[in-house]
């Protein structure tokens, strides 16, 4: 039997706390999601800094596209939905209000972690 069919025999939620492999995948997924969130925030910080040094027409374009190509929404993916359900108590860490509010502050350059020394 191929390895991927093993999971078809068991309900993953029943297995979460008793299967080390499932637990390890969930932990890895959690670390990866939080790494992605951190990298997205860092990208916005540095784009804000870059705006100061660009010609006005380029700065306006970057300012309007500052979040372009960084949003990821994995909602609807069965593995991600299982992760959100089991690890995050049903709250998508990429959509939680605190994260979204911080991202809005970063976009505006008003977050306490914004890069202001350059």
């Amino acid at each position: 039997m191929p390895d991927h069919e093993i999971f078809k025999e068991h309900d993953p939620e029943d297995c979460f706390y008793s299967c080390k492999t499932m637990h390890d995948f969930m932990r890895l997924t959690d670390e990866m999601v939080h790494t992605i969130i951190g990298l997205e925030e860092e990208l916005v910080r540095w784009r804000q800094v870059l705006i100061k040094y660009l010609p006005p027409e380029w700065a306006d374009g970057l300012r309007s596209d500052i979040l372009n190509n960084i949003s990821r929404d994995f909602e609807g993916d069965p593995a991600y939905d299982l992760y959100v359900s089991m690890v995050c108590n049903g709250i998508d860490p990429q959509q939680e209000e605190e994260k979204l509010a911080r991202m809005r502050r970063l976009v505006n350059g008003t977050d306490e972690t914004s890069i202001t020394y350059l």
Side-chain angles (χ1 to χ4, degrees):
M1 169 185 314
D3 288 341
H4 67 277
E5 292 192 21
I6 292 172
F7 291 107
K8 291 181 183 176
E9 296 176 13
H10 304 286
D11 180 359
E13 290 187 27
D14 292 339
C15 183
F16 180 67
Y17 293 103
S18 61
C19 297
K20 182 178 178 348
T21 302
M22 179 67 129
H23 181 267
D24 290 347
F25 274 113
M26 291 294 169
R27 187 176 46 80
L28 174 63
T29 301
D30 192 51
E31 289 178 26
M32 291 171 67
V33 166
H34 286 89
T35 297
I36 289 169
I37 291 169
L39 290 170
E40 288 173 347
E41 291 173 358
E42 194 65 14
L43 180 61
V44 170
R45 281 183 195 97
W46 285 103
R47 284 182 176 180
Q48 278 291 15
V49 170
L50 181 61
I51 286 171
K52 297 176 189 177
Y53 299 97
L54 291 175
E57 64 276 5
W58 292 6
D60 289 342
L62 182 55
R63 192 173 290 111
S64 66
D65 288 343
I66 204 158
L67 295 174
N68 197 21
N69 297 321
I70 64 169
S71 271
R72 302 290 180 261
D73 185 8
F74 299 110
E75 185 179 3
D77 180 283
Y80 189 75
D81 290 346
L82 183 63
Y83 155 74
V84 168
S85 168
M86 296 176 71
V87 177
C88 306
N89 297 320
I91 300 170
D92 185 342
Q94 296 186 92
Q95 301 300 322
E96 64 186 352
E97 187 53 40
E98 181 182 323
K99 184 253 186 209
L100 297 174
R102 184 174 47 253
M103 191 61 82
R104 283 190 295 272
R105 290 190 309 270
L106 286 170
V107 166
N108 294 326
T110 60
D111 190 73
E112 61 189 23
T113 65
S114 295
I115 301 169
T116 57
Y117 56 86
L118 295 176

